[in-house]
Amino acid sequence: GAGVSQSPSNKVTEKGKDVELRCDPISGHTALYWYRQRLGQGLEFLIYFQGNSAPDKSGLPSDRFSAERTGESVSTLTIQRTQQEDSAVYLCASSRTGTKDYGYTFGSGTRLTVV
Amino acid sequence: AQKVTQAQTEISVVEKEDVTLDCVYETRDTTYYLFWYKQPPSGELVFLIRRNSFDEQNEISGRYSWNFQKSTSSFNFTITASQVVDSAVYFCALSEARGGSEKLVFGKGTKLTVNP
């Protein structure tokens, strides 16, 4: 597609429920990243995919968080047993591997609210 | 460890004023990349510039200019003759160039408000 697409744009869930957030990167972008942005804060790195492997998961805050990617396309971030502290905007970005000539392109994010 | 500091949390200016957003970074690498992103109220991050650590030339793009100084580990961003549409949160970010995850480390952002 023309840009990075994320769905849903907004999600309200009850504490303790599981949620799935989806990211559809730009076609041809082999690198995919998930970030979290809490209200009024900067972006925190969560996980990086190169193709369908995840060489860097160092930012995932707990084992309630997991992500997968199908080939070089869609990625899903799953949060199990959501907590109120998980409320944030979750941003996805993609880029062309090994070429720093391009800035990372971000999606519009999914605003997650845990009530 | 990499770190990006944007000491200015919020800046408010009147239209047509010039404004400089500060960014100071820390890294042990000699090869790295620096970025600026704009996040308007709509929320989407907009890429503004990428600069590699070997290129210290200042860059100008219209009303935007960037001053990269390795000696002070700074990569400051100046908007000349600011406009209301420049109101946004601006993020500075750092990425290592070698291997690994190529992840971006972001500063906490500077909220710029340009008043008419």
Side-chain angles (χ1 to χ4, degrees):
Chain A
V4 177
S5 177
Q6 291 188 247
S7 61
S9 55
N10 279 285
K11 176 73 176 179
V12 180
T13 189
E14 291 181 354
K15 179 180 174 181
K17 295 284 179 73
D18 298 352
V19 295
E20 283 190 356
L21 313 180
R22 176 188 168 107
C23 173
D24 204 340
I26 291 173
S27 179
H29 281 194
T30 56
L32 185 148
Y33 309 78
W34 282 97
Y35 288 83
R36 177 171 70 177
Q37 185 177 24
R38 289 185 165 133
L39 185 64
Q41 300 295 312
L43 279 73
E44 304 170 72
F45 168 78
L46 296 178
I47 187 170
Y48 158 67
F49 284 95
Q50 182 56 256
N52 61 6
S53 66
D56 190 348
K57 306 177 183 180
S58 62
L60 293 178
S62 75
D63 59 9
R64 296 187 295 105
F65 287 72
S66 63
E68 61 179 23
R69 187 179 184 193
T70 306
E72 295 184 351
S73 61
V74 172
S75 175
T76 302
L77 176 68
T78 300
I79 309 173
Q80 296 178 310
R81 305 181 302 281
T82 51
Q83 304 293 313
Q84 288 186 330
E85 70 221 36
D86 300 334
S87 296
V89 176
Y90 290 82
L91 290 157
C92 176
S94 69
S95 70
R96 296 190 191 199
T97 305
T99 63
K100 299 291 186 178
D101 294 334
Y102 302 90
Y104 305 75
T105 303
F106 282 82
S108 298
T110 294
R111 182 176 299 277
L112 175 66
T113 304
V114 182
V115 297
Chain B
Q2 295 179 312
K3 184 179 178 181
V4 175
T5 301
Q6 294 180 257
Q8 304 149 308
T9 306
E10 293 192 41
I11 300 176
S12 182
V13 299
V14 177
E15 208 170 16
K16 298 185 182 177
E17 285 185 17
D18 298 348
V19 58
T20 296
L21 310 182
D22 298 333
C23 174
V24 174
Y25 62 92
E26 296 176 28
T27 180
R28 294 180 183 175
D29 278 1
T30 56
T31 304
Y32 50 89
Y33 289 81
L34 295 163
F35 299 78
W36 276 94
Y37 281 87
K38 174 182 180 180
Q39 189 176 44
S42 61
E44 190 159 346
L45 278 163
V46 178
F47 168 75
L48 295 179
I49 190 172
R50 177 197 63 92
R51 172 68 69 208
N52 76 56
S53 52
F54 296 110
D55 182 1
E56 288 194 69
Q57 281 191 335
N58 291 334
E59 180 155 340
I60 298 174
S61 176
R63 295 184 298 105
Y64 295 171
S65 62
W66 290 269
N67 182 4
F68 177 30
Q69 293 195 344
K70 289 180 76 171
S71 60
T72 56
S73 297
S74 65
F75 186 44
N76 297 336
F77 172 33
T78 297
I79 302 174
T80 303
S82 59
Q83 300 176 2
V84 173
V85 293
D86 295 327
S87 296
V89 180
Y90 291 86
F91 291 98
C92 180
L94 169 68
S95 173
E96 291 180 335
R98 62 177 169 86
S101 67
E102 305 180 3
K103 66 189 179 193
L104 291 173
V105 174
F106 284 84
K108 294 188 182 299
T110 296
K111 182 179 181 181
L112 174 64
T113 302
V114 181
N115 298 298

